[in-house]
Amino acid sequence: MYGPIGSGKTSLVRRLQEKLSQDERYNVKLLISPNLKSSNAFLRLILETFDVKTERSYTASLKNFEEFLIKQFKQGKVPVLLIDEAQYLNRDTLKLIHYLLNFESNKTKFLQVVLVGQEELGTKITQYKELASRMFPIVINAMSIDDLKDMINFRLTVAGYRGELFEDADDAYKTLFTYSKGLPRDAIKICFELLIELVAIRKKQANSKQVEVIAKGQNLRI
C-alpha cells in the first residue's frame, strides 16, 4: 500500500492492526521500518517483534522463525507483519521478505505481510518482479471532497461533537479541500486548530474564512 505523504496510510495500517487484533486467529505485529542496511539486522528485528529467540547465525535465526511459523500454523494462528515506512527497505531486506513468504503449506502461507509506504515503495516492489508477483498493490490517492467531509464528520462524531462544524458548510468544505488538496493529514491539522479557536472565542461553528486564515497560517497554499 503506497501513496503520497499525508494521505492517511499510517492511520489505515493502525486501524488494520486494531481490527485484526480483535480476532484471536491473528497474531498481529506492527513494525515501523528503520533504515536497516542488512537482511540479518532486519531479520533479528522481526524475530524480536514476534518474541522469537534470535541467534548469532543468520541461518539459525531463520530456522527459529520457521519453527515459530509452523507452530503458529498448527495452532490455527495467522502471524501478520505490518511494516510502515516500508519505502526505506533496501534490496536485501526486500529479498528477506520474499524468502519469508516461501514458508507455506500446500494451501496456506504461514506469514502474511503488509508493506506500507510512500510512492517510491511502489516503484521498488514493481522493479523486484519476484516479490511483486506475490503481492497485491493498493494505491492511496488524495480524498475527494465528499470523502473529506465524511472523514471530518466521522472524527467529530467519535470525539463526541454533535451538530455541524461550519456555518457555511458547502463553502467551508470547498475551502478546506482546496487548501488541503484532499490530503487527510493537512485537513485534520486545519480542523484541529479550528476547534481550538472555537473554544477560545466560545463558539460552536466556524466559517470558510476562518478555514482559509488557519490554512494560510500553516503555510498551505492554493
Side-chain angles (χ1 to χ4, degrees):
M1 180 169 66
Y2 57 93
I5 295 172
S7 58
K9 302 180 299 298
T10 296
S11 296
L12 283 173
V13 75
R14 290 189 181 279
R15 180 61 173 161
L16 179 60
Q17 178 192 25
E18 179 184 337
K19 293 292 288 184
L20 291 179
S21 296
Q22 294 171 3
D23 190 328
E24 62 181 12
R25 293 176 298 170
Y26 296 102
N27 180 3
V28 188
K29 302 296 182 182
L30 174 60
L31 185 62
I32 309 299
S33 175
N35 193 10
L36 295 174
K37 301 301 183 184
S38 73
S39 56
N40 188 30
F42 190 52
L43 176 61
R44 293 179 69 87
L45 181 60
I46 292 173
L47 265 62
E48 290 168 359
T49 300
F50 279 102
D51 298 319
V52 178
K53 182 182 178 183
T54 60
E55 306 288 353
R56 295 181 66 180
S57 163
Y58 179 76
T59 302
S61 290
L62 272 177
K63 183 64 176 176
N64 284 355
F65 195 54
E66 181 180 14
E67 291 174 353
F68 162 77
L69 292 176
I70 293 172
K71 183 177 180 180
Q72 290 274 285
F73 173 70
K74 290 180 177 178
Q75 294 174 346
K77 295 280 190 178
V78 181
V80 181
L81 179 62
L82 310 174
I83 304 178
D84 198 7
E85 301 294 348
Q87 71 272 7
Y88 295 120
L89 298 176
N90 60 24
R91 183 76 172 186
D92 282 344
T93 50
L94 288 174
K95 282 183 178 179
L96 172 62
I97 290 173
H98 178 233
Y99 182 81
L100 295 180
L101 291 176
N102 288 322
F103 293 144
E104 58 188 356
S105 68
N106 291 333
K107 295 182 178 180
T108 307
K109 288 193 176 297
F110 295 158
L111 177 68
Q112 297 295 322
V113 179
V114 179
L115 303 180
V116 182
Q118 295 172 24
E119 292 162 308
E120 54 263 40
L121 173 63
T123 303
K124 284 186 175 182
I125 299 298
T126 301
Q127 292 174 346
Y128 189 1
K129 297 186 184 301
E130 297 92 333
L131 182 57
S133 67
R134 294 173 180 242
M135 298 196 130
F136 299 92
I138 301 174
V139 183
I140 304 297
N141 297 311
M143 288 184 165
S144 69
I145 189 170
D146 289 334
D147 290 337
L148 195 65
K149 182 177 180 180
D150 289 343
M151 180 195 70
I152 296 301
N153 285 328
F154 172 76
R155 285 176 172 263
L156 289 172
T157 299
V158 170
Y161 191 93
R162 296 293 181 266
E164 177 58 62
L165 178 60
F166 300 112
E167 297 172 355
D168 51 349
D170 288 343
D171 288 341
Y173 279 113
K174 286 178 183 177
T175 304
L176 180 63
F177 179 78
T178 298
Y179 279 95
S180 69
K181 296 178 175 58
L183 294 176
R185 181 181 299 172
D186 289 336
I188 290 168
K189 286 166 62 178
I190 293 171
C191 289
F192 179 75
E193 295 297 330
L194 191 61
L195 287 171
I196 292 176
E197 180 174 312
L198 289 178
V199 171
I201 63 177
R202 297 184 179 181
K203 287 190 175 183
K204 292 187 176 181
Q205 289 186 309
N207 56 51
S208 56
K209 183 61 178 177
Q210 289 171 289
V211 173
E212 183 177 13
V213 171
I214 289 174
K216 288 181 177 179
Q218 296 184 354
N219 293 319
L220 298 176
R221 296 290 181 265
I222 297 177

